[in-house]
Amino acid sequence: MLNEQASITKLRWIMSELRDPETGCPWDIKQDFASITSHTLEEAYEVVDAIEQGDFVELEKELGDLLFQVIFYSQLGKEQQHFDFDSVIAAICEKLIRRHPHVFAQASLQTDEEIKANWENEKTLERQQKNQQKNGIIEGSSDLNHLSILADIPKNLPALSQAAKIQKRCSHVGFDWDNMTDVFAKIEEEVQEVKDELEADSLDKKALAEELGDLMFAVVNLCRHAKEDPETLLRQANKKFSRRFVGVEEQVNKSGKTFTEHDLAELENYWQQVKIQEKQG
């Protein structure tokens, strides 16, 4: 096997060898589903980072690392007789074919809106079937109506992505603003409520935190209506700020003074200089 050409078969063999109770790697042997989830998240973010950097050499490596996470979970599933890699592949093939009737069947879905609506409808049916199997509900029972459309949104999603997913689900059943004007009005309302808390005679930190959360949720809604991913937008803003701040640091170093020896007006001037240089270059 060691000399065979690289393939999924070889990767699965490597995984089984790493998990061998007698000759495997001690670290791999002691892992379980829960213990490797943090590694999975890390690998997924490294894939995204490589894409955003346009580094396709690194992306190739990071995709391999992410694929290995799937192999690892599949090996654990096989050992515990829950599932294996073949059943994982079978499940995703079935799902993709079923969710794309306009490609693999005779359904006529022409616009992005029709395709997205069909996708959400299929996911709704999947949630109902999952709930039915879990609770032993008889098909056609009215109890299916109690299944929340938010039921299977992952609790460990990054908060911005989770907020966008919650809003998307609600929008699919008509619980959404019709236009940007209403979205902006909601943001302005939340801003005012934050101001009210800050200007109160005595600061209620719990109430302020709640209003700040509401404001962030409303801004995520604006991103969604603008058809932008809030998680991506904030990452991009983080990178832009960090890049510009490095420029401010360079200006501070050139001045021969420390940060604390500058007042805010001087630092703001450096910031504006960095922005001008970016536009020119």
Side-chain angles (χ1 to χ4, degrees):
M1 180 67 72
L2 285 174
N3 295 323
E4 290 186 11
Q5 185 177 3
S7 66
I8 286 292
T9 300
K10 183 175 182 179
L11 185 56
R12 294 171 68 180
W13 171 78
I14 291 172
M15 183 72 257
S16 64
E17 291 295 301
L18 290 173
R19 288 280 297 178
D20 187 286
E22 296 182 0
T23 61
C25 170
W27 186 89
D28 290 280
I29 292 171
K30 70 180 182 181
Q31 302 309 310
D32 57 26
F33 284 105
S35 69
I36 61 174
T37 54
S38 62
H39 300 284
T40 307
L41 290 171
E42 180 180 340
E43 299 300 352
Y45 279 117
E46 288 179 352
V47 166
V48 173
D49 187 62
I51 292 171
E52 291 182 345
Q53 297 297 328
D55 188 341
F56 294 102
V57 173
E58 194 64 24
L59 177 59
E60 179 183 46
K61 300 174 184 176
E62 298 301 346
L63 285 171
D65 291 342
L66 187 58
L67 173 60
F68 184 69
Q69 296 295 303
V70 177
I71 296 294
F72 208 141
Y73 287 118
S74 298
Q75 178 66 27
L76 293 172
K78 180 180 180 181
E79 292 170 3
Q80 299 178 30
Q81 298 183 334
H82 296 310
F83 56 84
D84 60 18
F85 186 74
D86 291 332
S87 65
V88 169
I89 296 299
I92 187 60
C93 287
E94 185 278 330
K95 181 190 292 185
L96 288 173
I97 291 173
R98 175 167 42 79
R99 287 187 178 181
H100 294 83
H102 53 298
V103 176
F104 300 104
Q106 301 302 314
S108 178
L109 303 175
Q110 302 296 330
T111 67
D112 286 348
E113 288 72 19
E114 289 175 335
I115 292 171
K116 289 177 181 178
N118 175 75
W119 184 273
E120 290 299 327
N121 289 335
E122 284 293 333
K123 289 170 71 174
T124 299
L125 290 174
E126 288 171 14
R127 289 194 295 274
Q128 291 177 342
Q129 291 168 359
K130 180 180 178 181
N131 188 65
Q132 183 179 351
Q133 293 168 358
K134 181 178 179 180
N135 299 314
I137 298 173
I138 299 174
E139 186 174 359
S141 168
S142 61
D143 285 344
L144 283 175
N145 295 326
H146 296 298
L147 178 64
S148 172
I149 63 168
L150 308 178
D152 64 341
I153 294 178
K155 294 180 176 58
N156 291 323
L157 272 178
L160 290 176
S161 297
Q162 187 182 62
K165 201 168 188 68
I166 289 170
Q167 294 169 3
K168 180 181 177 183
R169 290 277 181 88
C170 293
S171 177
H172 184 64
V173 294
F175 192 72
D176 194 8
W177 302 114
D178 293 327
N179 54 68
M180 284 286 197
T181 301
D182 292 334
V183 177
F184 270 109
K186 184 62 177 176
I187 291 175
E188 291 168 352
E189 175 188 327
E190 298 298 349
V191 168
Q192 186 58 52
E193 290 179 357
V194 170
K195 287 182 178 179
D196 291 343
E197 289 298 333
L198 289 171
E199 295 170 359
D201 293 335
S202 59
L203 180 62
D204 185 336
K205 295 185 68 174
K206 182 177 180 181
L208 175 60
E210 183 175 338
E211 297 301 343
L212 286 169
D214 291 344
L215 174 58
M216 294 172 69
F217 192 84
V219 172
V220 168
N221 203 18
L222 177 61
C223 297
R224 185 179 61 83
H225 275 264
K227 302 187 185 305
E228 297 287 349
D229 173 51
E231 193 76 30
T232 299
L233 295 181
L234 188 56
R235 280 203 310 272
Q236 291 171 346
N238 288 342
K239 288 181 178 180
K240 181 173 68 175
F241 181 91
S242 298
R243 183 179 66 248
R244 289 178 176 176
F245 187 77
V246 168
V248 172
E249 287 180 311
E250 292 173 353
Q251 296 276 18
V252 169
N253 291 335
K254 289 178 182 178
S255 74
K257 297 190 297 183
T258 65
F259 261 95
T260 55
E261 291 173 325
H262 288 76
D263 59 29
L264 182 57
E266 290 175 309
L267 296 175
E268 175 63 22
N269 182 54
Y270 291 156
W271 181 269
Q272 295 301 327
Q273 289 180 36
V274 171
K275 289 176 65 175
I276 292 171
Q277 290 170 1
E278 279 189 357
K279 291 179 180 179
Q280 292 175 343

